[in-house]
């Protein structure tokens, strides 16, 4: 497969996954900011800027951190490369570039998402409804992923699409968990902490999984274990790395030896890791190291597979 084609497929799925993860993150921040006296609304609405590393770029064009401005910045602001609008537009451009490599149902899903998004942008987030918009983004991502999984031939095109999904998902889960942990540690209020960890589980679609696996009340250690080490949870770090370890060796050819090695090493650290080690290391330090490793893996995948020689 040509590097250019592989790159377009990889980024198509990464941008769709990023749009969904952003919607999940904003939905939680939005709902928490509306709870009177339960949490610090400013702290909650600043969290997405910290998670995505875009606080400085936001403050470069905005005087203050306000709920309505942060929401616009992450949803419909074309000037923000991390906004949902920008992600879905770029995903559509990537899909158009590889139209011959994806199925008709996949293309229809991507194209109709873009057309609907332009109509939503004319209404504005306030006119459409914030919660309704976040649900719409998640549903469009599910539709694209379902069309991909249900209609694609299991070839290298499919594998690069899946690679993009799991690299993006691992990065997002680690960032959300890290920032929420830091906010929680600084707060020290049991009731507020419960709200935050409950919201985090909702943001990654893992609330029901927690209730299924654990009988004890929601707490920081069990949420961390669930989202880092549990293989049953689709958005856990272990689950994402396991999928990457299955996908990379299945790509045809002899390229990507370093990518395969990095993925295997990180998966082994998660597969044979335990909560005691994470606690002893420090959750923030552990997640910082994971993010460094997963971004090194993403850079190596780009160099070995996606750069045009």
């Amino acid at each position: 497969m040509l590097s250019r084609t592989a790159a377009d497929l990889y980024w198509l799925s990464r941008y769709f996954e990023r749009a969904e993860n952003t919607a999940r993150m904003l939905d939680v921040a939005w709902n928490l900011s509306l709870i009177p006296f339960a949490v610090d609304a400013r702290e909650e609405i600043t969290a997405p800027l910290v998670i995505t590393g875009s606080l400085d770029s936001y403050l470069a064009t905005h005087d203050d951190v306000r709920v309505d401005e942060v929401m616009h910045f992450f949803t419909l602001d074309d000037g923000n490369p991390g906004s949902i609008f920008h992600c879905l537009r770029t995903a559509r451009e990537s899909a158009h570039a590889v139209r011959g490599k994806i199925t008709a149902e996949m293309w229809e899903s991507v194209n109709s998402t873009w057309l609907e998004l332009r109509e939503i942008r004319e209404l504005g987030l306030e006119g459409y409804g914030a919660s309704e918009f976040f649900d719409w983004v998640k549903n469009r991502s599910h539709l694209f992923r379902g069309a991909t999984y249900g209609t694609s031939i299991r070839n290298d095109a499919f594998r690069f699409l899946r690679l993009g999904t799991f690299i993006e998902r691992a990065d997002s889960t680690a960032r959300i968990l890290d920032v929420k942990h830091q906010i929680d540690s600084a707060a020290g209020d049991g009731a507020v902490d419960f709200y935050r960890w409950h919201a985090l589980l909702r943001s990654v679609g893992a609330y029901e999984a927690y209730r299924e696996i654990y009988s004890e009340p929601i707490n920081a250690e069990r949420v961390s274990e669930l989202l880092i080490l549990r293989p049953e949870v689709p958005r856990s770090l272990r689950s994402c790395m396991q999928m990457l370890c299955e996908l990379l060796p299945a790509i045809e050819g002899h390229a990507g030896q370093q990518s395969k090695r990095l993925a295997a090493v990180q998966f082994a650290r998660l597969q044979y890791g335990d909560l005691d080690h994470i606690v002893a290391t420090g959750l923030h330090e552990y997640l910082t190291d994971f993010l460094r490793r997963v971004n090194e893996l993403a850079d190596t995948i780009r160099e070995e597979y996606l750069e045009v020689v």
Side-chain angles (χ1 to χ4, degrees), residues 7 25 48-49 52 54 62 105 111 116 193 208 228 261 270 276 296-297:
M25 173 182 64
L49 295 166
T52 58
S54 54
H62 298 78
E105 289 184 30
N111 196 48
E116 287 183 31
D193 294 349
E208 288 80 5
I228 295 174
R261 187 188 72 80
L270 291 161
D276 290 340
E296 181 186 2
L297 173 58

Side-chain angles (χ1 to χ4, degrees), residues 8-285:
D8 282 324
L9 291 164
Y10 173 84
W11 283 107
L12 163 59
S13 60
R14 275 202 76 163
Y15 275 115
F16 247 101
E17 181 71 21
R18 187 173 300 177
E20 179 186 348
N21 292 336
T22 301
R24 289 178 176 277
M25 173 182 64
L26 292 175
D27 196 15
V28 168
W30 168 258
N31 284 303
L32 281 176
S33 72
L34 298 177
I35 301 174
F37 312 115
V39 296
D40 183 339
R42 181 183 173 85
E43 193 174 59
E44 291 301 331
I45 212 63
T46 302
L49 295 166
V50 178
I51 290 169
T52 58
S54 54
L55 180 59
D56 290 340
S57 61
Y58 172 86
L59 292 176
T61 55
H62 298 78
D63 296 330
D64 194 15
V65 178
R66 292 175 43 192
V67 173
D68 57 339
E69 292 182 350
V70 170
M71 287 295 153
H72 177 75
F73 181 74
F74 277 114
T75 55
L76 302 175
D77 187 351
D78 191 27
N80 174 21
S83 73
I84 291 170
F85 183 86
H86 189 276
C87 287
L88 294 179
R89 185 182 69 180
T90 307
R92 197 263 184 189
E93 291 170 354
S94 295
H96 188 267
V98 290
R99 180 66 185 85
K101 290 290 184 180
I102 60 177
T103 66
E105 289 184 30
M106 290 171 65
W107 168 249
E108 178 59 29
S109 170
V110 174
N111 196 48
S112 61
T113 296
W114 169 242
L115 295 176
E116 287 183 31
L117 181 60
R118 291 198 302 178
E119 294 177 359
I120 292 171
R121 193 165 187 245
E122 290 182 5
L123 288 173
L125 190 64
E126 198 171 300
Y128 190 81
S131 294
E132 290 78 8
F133 179 70
F134 301 141
D135 287 342
W136 176 84
V137 174
K138 287 184 280 186
N139 288 334
R140 297 309 302 188
S141 179
H142 295 330
L143 183 60
F144 168 72
R145 194 158 49 243
T148 301
Y149 201 81
T151 64
S152 291
I153 297 173
R154 272 31 177 188
N155 56 12
D156 280 353
F158 176 78
R159 295 180 190 108
F160 279 110
L161 283 161
R162 300 292 281 168
L163 274 180
T165 295
F166 291 109
I167 284 284
E168 188 66 33
R169 185 175 294 177
D171 181 89
S172 175
T173 297
R175 288 179 186 277
I176 291 173
L177 182 56
D178 187 28
V179 171
K180 287 297 182 183
H181 164 70
Q182 292 180 66
I183 293 174
D184 174 69
S185 299
D189 184 312
V192 172
D193 294 349
F194 174 83
Y195 276 118
R196 287 187 168 125
W197 289 110
H198 180 278
L200 186 149
L201 289 171
R202 292 283 188 190
S203 74
V204 294
Y207 176 76
E208 288 80 5
Y210 187 98
R211 289 302 186 198
E212 179 76 19
I213 294 170
Y214 303 109
S215 58
E216 59 195 274
I218 296 172
N219 63 74
E221 285 195 356
R222 288 293 166 241
V223 172
S224 299
E225 181 181 57
L226 185 82
L227 296 181
I228 295 174
L229 299 174
R230 299 296 301 211
E232 312 97 312
V233 180
R235 292 181 178 272
S236 75
L237 303 188
R238 177 174 170 176
S239 179
C240 291
M241 294 309 304
Q242 181 174 349
M243 290 303 303
L244 291 170
C245 282
E246 293 176 7
L247 289 163
L248 284 165
I251 296 172
E252 294 181 10
H254 301 291
Q257 293 304 310
Q258 179 69 353
S259 297
K260 295 168 191 173
R261 187 188 72 80
L262 290 173
V265 167
Q266 184 55 39
F267 176 55
R269 288 167 60 87
L270 291 161
Q271 185 177 18
Y272 299 108
D274 57 44
L275 186 61
D276 290 340
H277 169 70
I278 294 171
V279 171
T281 303
L283 183 59
H284 173 64
E285 290 73 18

